[in-house]
Amino acid sequence: AVNGGYYNKASGTQSAVNGGKVNTASGTNAAVNGGGNNIASSYSAAVNGGYYNTASGHTSAVNGGYYNAASGYYTAVNAGTFNTVDGKGSAVNGGTSNEATGAFSAVIGGYYNTASADYSVAGVP
C-alpha cells in the first residue's frame, strides 16, 4: 500500500510506503515511513525517514539521516550520514562514516569509527 506522497512504490507482499517521495518498499512486510529516495528491500525491513537510506537486511532499520545502510540481520542505523551496519545484531547510533561490521557490535557516534570485532564498541568519548 502507498499512503500519500508521490512516486512511491510498495511492491512487496504486505509492504507499505507512508508518505515521502520516490521511496520503495519491496521486501515482504517492509515499510518506508517518509523521507525521500529510501529503499526497504528485505523481510520486515524499515526506513523511517531521511533520504537515500537503504534497509536491505532481514528485520533491519534505518531511522533517519542520509545515505545510511543497514544490510545485516537485525541491524539498525539510528541517524547520521554515510553509516553502514552489516554485522548481525549490530547498530550505529549516529555520526558520520561509521561502520559496525562485527556481530552484535555498536558504534555510539562520532566520525570514521569501525566496530569490526564481534561484541565490540567504538566511538566512545
Side-chain angles (χ1 to χ4, degrees), residues 13-96:
T13 303
Q14 297 181 331
S15 65
V17 176
N18 300 306
K21 61 181 182 177
V22 198
N23 293 311
T24 302
S26 58
T28 299
N29 298 328
V32 176
N33 299 305
N37 299 93
N38 296 309
I39 299 169
S41 62
S42 189
Y43 179 83
S44 291
V47 176
N48 298 307
Y51 293 88
Y52 302 100
N53 295 309
T54 303
S56 60
H58 181 98
T59 317
S60 63
V62 177
N63 298 310
Y66 298 84
Y67 300 100
N68 295 306
S71 59
Y73 270 46
Y74 310 107
T75 57
V77 177
N78 294 313
T81 55
F82 300 105
N83 295 306
T84 303
V85 179
D86 61 13
K88 180 180 178 180
S90 296
V92 171
N93 294 313
T96 301

